[in-house]
């Protein structure tokens, strides 16, 4: 039972949530929310809705014993066909993502270095 619940929950969010994210939610968002805003603000409104969905779906999937990343995935899947949101996301998060990639790459390499061996004279001699 401890393995069955997370698997069923994850599949439920993936299948039902994925279906809703692709076929049900985008037309509803377009009809009831985006129609109230100017065309040039649609990407910003979609970004706000996507973050609200992430903040709602992450705990929902976590407490349903699925991965919280499944909630992020379903929230992002809802807006996968929005080209304006894609361009806004890339433009706004480009610098942040570049720095995060640098930090994670440096950390992944840096944590592999055995610090205790730095005091060994043989290592220091071979490093010169």
């Amino acid at each position: 039972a401890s393995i069955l619940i997370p698997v069923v929950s994850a599949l439920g969010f993936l299948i039902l949530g994925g279906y809703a994210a692709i076929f049900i939610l985008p037309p509803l968002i377009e009809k009831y929310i985006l129609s109230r805003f100017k065309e040039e603000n649609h990407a910003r409104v979609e970004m706000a809705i996507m973050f609200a969905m992430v903040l709602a779906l992450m705990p929902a999937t976590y407490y349903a014993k699925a991965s919280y990343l499944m909630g992020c995935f379903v929230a992002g899947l809802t807006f996968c066909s929005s080209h304006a949101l894609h361009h806004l996301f890339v433009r706004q998060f480009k610098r942040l993502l570049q720095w995060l990639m640098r930090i994670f790459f440096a950390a992944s390499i840096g944590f592999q270095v055995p610090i205790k061996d730095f005091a060994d004279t043989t290592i220091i001699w071979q490093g010169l």
Side-chain angles (χ1 to χ4, degrees):
S2 64
I3 295 176
L4 187 63
I5 292 172
V7 171
V8 170
S9 176
L11 286 174
F13 272 103
L14 186 62
I15 294 168
L16 297 175
Y19 181 81
I22 293 175
F23 298 110
I24 297 172
L25 291 176
L28 291 176
I29 291 170
E30 181 70 37
K31 183 178 180 181
Y32 293 110
I33 299 174
L34 293 179
S35 63
R36 298 177 182 197
F37 295 94
K38 294 178 183 177
E39 181 72 31
E40 60 266 12
N41 292 330
H42 280 196
R44 291 185 185 106
V45 173
E46 287 176 327
M47 178 82 76
I49 295 169
M50 184 177 69
F51 281 137
M53 287 181 68
V54 165
L55 291 175
L57 287 173
M58 279 180 65
T61 52
Y62 175 77
Y63 289 122
K65 304 282 191 243
S67 172
Y68 58 90
L69 294 176
M70 181 70 72
C72 296
F73 174 74
V74 172
L77 189 62
T78 304
F79 299 97
C80 67
S81 61
S82 174
H83 299 292
L85 178 58
H86 171 74
H87 291 296
L88 177 68
F89 190 86
V90 169
R91 189 173 67 237
Q92 294 296 328
F93 291 97
K94 188 174 188 176
R95 288 188 200 119
L96 176 65
L97 290 176
Q98 285 177 342
W99 275 105
L100 287 174
M101 294 282 282
R102 290 175 185 161
I103 290 169
F104 286 127
F105 178 74
S108 66
I109 299 299
F111 291 139
Q112 298 297 322
V113 176
I115 296 174
K116 293 178 181 177
D117 292 339
F118 278 162
D120 189 1
T121 55
T122 307
I123 301 293
I124 293 172
W125 172 251
Q126 290 175 348
L128 297 176

